[in-house]
C-alpha cells in the first residue's frame, strides 16, 4: 500500500499526506456523544464524516483500530468548566437517574448510527468505567508538577507548558471568547486557561455520581476522559483524533496539554475536524424544542440514508446548511440512483480493465481530502459509461464500502416494502368487505370481532358517509 490519502490536519493547518506511525496500521480516536439527549443530525454529520474517513482508510488497505468514549459524566453545560453537568440536567428533565439517561441515549445513539450506516468503533468506553484510570493520570500530573489543588478542585496548570494554544495563532484572549456559552470566572484558577481535572467542589452540589479520590469525593472533568480512554486502548501515540470543530478549543487543546504532560512526548499526529451543520437560524442545538433528529426525519417520511447522501454531497470542511428543500431533492436523487443500480443486469461478465479504471478514479476522489462529492460524481459517470451492467454493479458494490448508501440493496428492499404494503392493503380491504357483509346480516358480534382483530394489528377502521376508511394506529 502506498500512502495515498491526504486530508487537512488541524495541527499543522495544511492538507497533508497521511503516514501512519506503524506501517499498514492506523489508530484512531473519536470523541463520542454526551448521552443526555438524542443526537441531533449535526452531531451525526460529524460521525458520518468520521465514518467516511475510517472506511476510506480501510478501503485503501489500512487495518484501523478505532476507539470512542461515551461521555456520561463531567461534561458541563459550558465547555469552559462552568454550569451544570449536562447528564444531571437530562436526568432532572426526565425524572430519571443519570445512569438510566445514559443507557437510554447511548442505545438511541447506536440506533441512529445503524440507520445511517455508521460503523460503531470496535472499542466504545463510557467515561464512568474508567474512574481509577482518571485518578491515576491526575495523580501523575500532580507528581510531575502540571496540576495543582485549589478550592477543593484539581486544575491543570497551563502556565507549565511551553505552548498551550497548539491549534491556533490566535492569542489567549481571543480563544477564550471562542470558548462560548456562559463563561464565568473561576476564582480558584491561577490562570484563565487552566481547566479542571477533578471536581470536589462545585456550585452544583446535587451531582448524582461521585467517587472517592485522594482529593475527596468528587467527579472528573470532561477533558481527562478522552486522553485517558485513548491512552488506555491505543497506547502512547495515536495517528488520528477526530471531532467536530467546536471541540478544537477548549476540549482538544486541553486533551493535548494533559496527554503530552503525562506522557512526556508528542501524542497525536493528525487532527481531523468536521465543520458544523447549521439551520437557517444558525448552529443546530438541542435546546430548541423539537430539534432535528433522525426520528424526526423518519417521521416526515425520509429514509435516513438520504441524510447520509446529503452529508456526503458536501465537503467535511465546509459548514453545511440544512433545509428540507435540499433534502427533498436528495431524496428524489437517491431513489433514482438506487433504482438505476438495483435494476442493472448483474449476470454478465465484469470487465476487469474498466473496473480498475473507475475504482482508481473513485479512490483518487476520496483520497483527495475526502472529496466525497467528487466520489459520487465518479459513481454517476460510471453508471452513464459504456461498460457492462455487471461491471457497473460490481463497481457500485465496491464504492459502497466507503459510501455506505445501500447502493445495491436499497431498491430491492424498497420494492419488497411496497409489496408488503400492497399485500396488507388487500388483506384489510377483504376484512372490511367481510365486516360489511356481517353488518348487513345483522351479525354485529362478528363485525365487532373483525374491527377488534384489525385494531390488534394496528389498523383503525372509521365508518364515514363515504364508506369505511382505514388508517394505521
Ligand atoms: P456532544 O454530544 O455534544 O459531545 O457532540 C458530539 C459531536 O458532535 C462532537 O464531536 C461535536 O463536536 C459534534 N457537533 C456538535 N454540534 C455539531 C453540529 N451542529 N454540526 C456538526 N457536528 C457537531
Ligand atoms: Zn473528547
Amino acid at each position: 500500500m502506498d500512502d495515498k490519502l491526504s486530508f487537512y490536519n488541524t495541527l499543522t493547518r495544511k492538507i497533508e499526506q497521511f503516514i501512519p506511525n506503524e506501517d499498514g496500521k492506523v489508530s484512531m480516536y473519536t470523541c463520542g456523544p454526551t448521552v443526555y439527549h438524542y443526537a441531533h443530525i449535526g452531531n451525526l454529520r460529524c460521525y458520518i464524516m468520521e465514518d467516511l474517513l475510517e472506511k476510506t482508510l480501510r478501503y485503501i488497505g489500512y487495518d484501523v483500530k478505532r476507539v470512542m468514549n461515551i461521555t456520561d459524566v463531567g461534561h458541563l453545560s459550558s465547555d469552559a468548566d462552568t454550569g451544570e453537568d449536562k447528564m444531571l440536567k437530562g436526568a432532572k428533565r426526565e425524572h430519571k437517574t443519570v445512569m438510566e439517561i445514559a443507557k437510554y441515549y447511548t442505545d438511541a445513539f447506536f440506533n441512529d448510527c445503524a440507520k445511517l450506516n455508521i460503523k460503531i468503533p470496535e472499542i466504545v468506553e463510557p467515561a464512568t468505567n474508567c474512574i481509577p484510570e482518571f485518578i491515576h493520570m491526575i495523580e501523575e500530573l500532580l507528581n510531575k508538577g502540571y496540576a495543582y489543588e485549589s478550592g477543593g478542585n484539581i486544575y491543570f496548570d497551563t502556565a507549565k507548558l511551553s505552548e498551550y494554544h497548539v491549534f491556533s495563532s490566535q492569542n489567549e484572549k481571543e480563544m477564550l471568547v471562542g470558548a462560548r456559552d456562559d463563561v464565568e470566572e473561576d476564582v480558584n484558577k491561577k490562570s484563565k486557561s487552566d481547566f479542571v481535572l477533578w471536581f470536589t467542589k462545585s456550585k452544583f452540589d446535587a451531582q448524582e455520581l461521585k467517587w472517592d479520590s485522594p482529593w475527596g469525593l468528587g467527579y472528573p472533568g470532561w477533558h481527562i476522559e478522552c486522553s485517558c480512554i485513548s491512552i488506555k486502548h491505543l497506547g502512547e501515540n495515536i495517528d488520528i483524533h477526530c471531532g467536530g470543530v467546536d471541540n478544537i478549543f477548549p476540549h482538544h487543546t486541553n486533551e493535548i496539554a494533559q496527554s503530552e504532560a503525562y506522557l512526556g512526548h508528542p501524542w497525536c499526529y493528525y487532527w481531523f475536524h468536521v465543520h458544523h451543520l447549521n439551520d437557517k437560524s444558525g448552529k443546530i442545538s438541542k435546546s430548541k424544542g423539537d430539534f432535528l433528529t433522525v426520528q424526526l426525519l423518519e417521521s416526515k417520511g425520509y429514509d435516513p440514508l438520504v441524510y447520509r447522501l446529503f452529508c456526503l454531497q458536501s465537503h467535511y470542511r465546509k459548514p453545511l446548511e440544512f433545509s428540507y428543500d435540499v433534502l427533498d431533492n436528495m431524496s428524489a436523487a437517491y431513489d433514482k440512483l438506487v433504482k438505476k443500480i438495483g435494476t442493472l443486469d448483474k449476470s454478465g461478465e465484469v470487465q476487469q480493465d474498466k473496473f480498475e479504471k473507475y475504482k482508481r478514479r473513485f479512490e483518487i476522489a476520496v483520497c483527495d481530502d475526502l472529496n466525497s462529492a467528487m466520489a459520487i460524481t465518479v459513481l454517476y459517470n460510471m453508471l452513464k459509461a459504456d461498460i457492462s451492467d455487471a461491471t457497473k454493479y460490481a463497481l457500485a458494490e465496491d464504492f459502497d464500502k466507503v459510501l455506505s448508501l445501500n447502493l445495491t440493496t436499497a431498491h430491492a428492499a424498497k420494492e419488497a416494502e411496497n409489496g408488503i404494503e400492497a399485500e396488507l392493503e388487500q388483506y384489510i380491504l377483504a376484512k372490511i368487505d367481510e365486516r360489511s357483509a356481517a353488518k348487513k346480516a345483522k351479525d354485529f358480534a362478528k363485525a365487532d370481532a373483525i374491527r377488534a382483530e384489525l385494531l390488534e394489528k394496528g389498523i383503525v377502521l372509521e365508518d364515514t358517509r363515504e364508506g369505511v376508511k382505514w388508517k394505521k394506529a
Side-chain angles (χ1 to χ4, degrees), residues 222-429:
W222 172 39
H223 316 296
I224 193 78
E225 68 178 84
C226 286
S227 294
C228 220
I229 292 171
S230 169
I231 293 168
K232 174 176 174 185
H233 293 289
L234 296 170
E236 291 203 359
N237 287 104
I238 51 172
D239 293 305
I240 308 172
H241 194 308
C242 319
V245 283
D246 59 316
N247 284 162
I248 295 175
F249 186 82
H251 185 47
H252 290 166
T253 305
N254 292 350
E255 276 190 49
I256 294 176
Q258 63 204 0
S259 299
E260 298 195 349
Y262 170 78
L263 294 166
H265 59 70
W267 170 53
C268 173
Y269 307 107
Y270 296 86
W271 287 83
F272 176 83
H273 288 113
V274 179
H275 244 283
H276 276 174
L277 179 82
N278 303 309
D279 60 15
K280 275 206 180 78
S281 60
K283 201 185 140 206
I284 290 181
S285 92
K286 296 183 189 180
S287 48
K288 290 187 205 160
D290 202 11
F291 65 88
L292 283 161
T293 58
V294 168
Q295 293 98 304
L296 183 70
L297 296 187
E298 280 186 306
S299 74
K300 291 179 185 286
Y302 295 102
D303 182 333
L305 291 181
V306 168
Y307 178 64
R308 185 174 174 108
L309 177 64
F310 174 80
C311 291
L312 294 179
Q313 284 288 22
S314 106
H315 197 256
Y316 74 92
R317 276 197 296 121
K318 287 198 183 121
L320 177 60
E321 190 176 303
F322 178 79
S323 87
Y324 282 110
D325 285 347
V326 180
L327 203 63
D328 286 338
N329 292 340
M330 274 309 150
S331 190
Y334 180 68
D335 285 349
K336 240 173 119 179
L337 177 65
V338 295
K339 184 171 180 192
K340 182 155 181 99
I341 297 167
T343 51
L344 289 168
D345 174 12
K346 56 181 173 175
S347 60
E349 280 270 305
V350 174
Q351 298 157 291
Q352 213 48 48
D353 56 334
K354 302 283 196 291
F355 182 92
E356 291 306 328
K357 175 176 141 186
Y358 281 98
K359 184 179 169 70
R360 182 80 196 117
R361 284 187 190 172
F362 179 81
E363 204 172 82
I364 289 170
V366 281
C367 287
D368 177 13
D369 197 19
L370 297 180
N371 194 341
S372 44
M374 180 53 83
I376 291 169
T377 302
V378 174
L379 168 69
Y380 276 110
N381 290 343
M382 176 280 282
L383 289 170
K384 276 190 273 171
D386 184 18
I387 56 178
S388 74
D389 271 14
T391 312
K392 289 180 183 176
Y393 190 89
L395 279 162
E397 203 165 44
D398 184 67
F399 296 176
D400 216 33
K401 289 177 191 157
V402 175
L403 301 176
S404 292
L405 290 166
N406 292 357
L407 290 175
T408 54
T409 54
H411 181 64
K414 277 176 206 279
E415 292 279 279
E417 203 179 299
N418 290 344
I420 291 169
E421 286 291 313
E423 236 172 64
L424 178 69
E425 179 151 20
Q426 265 184 358
Y427 164 79
I428 295 166
L429 293 179

